[in-house]
Amino acid sequence: MIDGLRHLHMLMAGLSILGFLLRGFWAWRVPGLLQRKPVKILPHVIDTLLLASAIALLFAYGWNPFAQGWLVAKIVLLIVYIGLGLVALKPWYGATVRLPAFFAAVVVFAWIFSIATSKLVVPFA
């Protein structure tokens, strides 16, 4: 069961970043695609499954997320990633704000991935 949850979590994380990259591309090249119903709904479904699988893994392993420094770092960075993603994809922010926010969100996601694979807060250690 734990392996299945872990694989679901990793799959949803991969789909989440791929979807973000695709929506970021569309925001610059074909902004009209961002208004389609599936494009608006699917990221929420993926991110909900990502979060639900993370919570299920916490229970399955019996971890207290605040007793594990690397988990606390992932949670904080997830909040930062969400905030940067919102700024990057919302049209009312100018390009001078959106583009750096987009790249910063990708870097933060890479940092989260690094923590997930190494269990170390220092990026890419």
Side-chain angles (χ1 to χ4, degrees), residues 55-96:
I55 292 169
L57 281 169
L58 284 174
F59 282 108
Y61 281 117
W63 285 342
N64 175 355
F66 299 106
Q68 310 279 340
W70 63 273
L71 276 175
V72 173
K74 280 181 64 177
I75 292 166
V76 170
L77 288 171
L78 176 63
I79 294 166
V80 172
Y81 170 71
I82 291 167
L84 289 168
L86 285 171
V87 171
L89 295 177
K90 295 300 179 188
W92 52 78
Y93 294 103
T96 57

Side-chain angles (χ1 to χ4, degrees), residues 1-90:
M1 179 175 144
I2 289 178
D3 281 341
L5 284 172
R6 195 169 46 86
H7 284 90
L8 175 65
H9 184 69
M10 291 186 303
L11 175 65
M12 292 301 114
L15 291 175
S16 181
I17 190 63
L18 287 174
F20 178 70
L21 292 170
L22 182 61
R23 286 178 294 146
F25 175 76
W26 286 346
W28 295 104
R29 297 291 183 199
V30 196
L33 287 177
L34 295 176
Q35 300 309 313
R36 294 192 175 176
K37 197 165 194 158
V39 175
K40 287 186 169 191
I41 294 172
L42 196 56
H44 297 293
V45 172
I46 290 169
D47 291 341
T48 298
L49 288 171
L50 177 62
L51 183 59
S53 63
I55 292 169
L57 281 169
L58 284 174
F59 282 108
Y61 281 117
W63 285 342
N64 175 355
F66 299 106
Q68 310 279 340
W70 63 273
L71 276 175
V72 173
K74 280 181 64 177
I75 292 166
V76 170
L77 288 171
L78 176 63
I79 294 166
V80 172
Y81 170 71
I82 291 167
L84 289 168
L86 285 171
V87 171
L89 295 177
K90 295 300 179 188

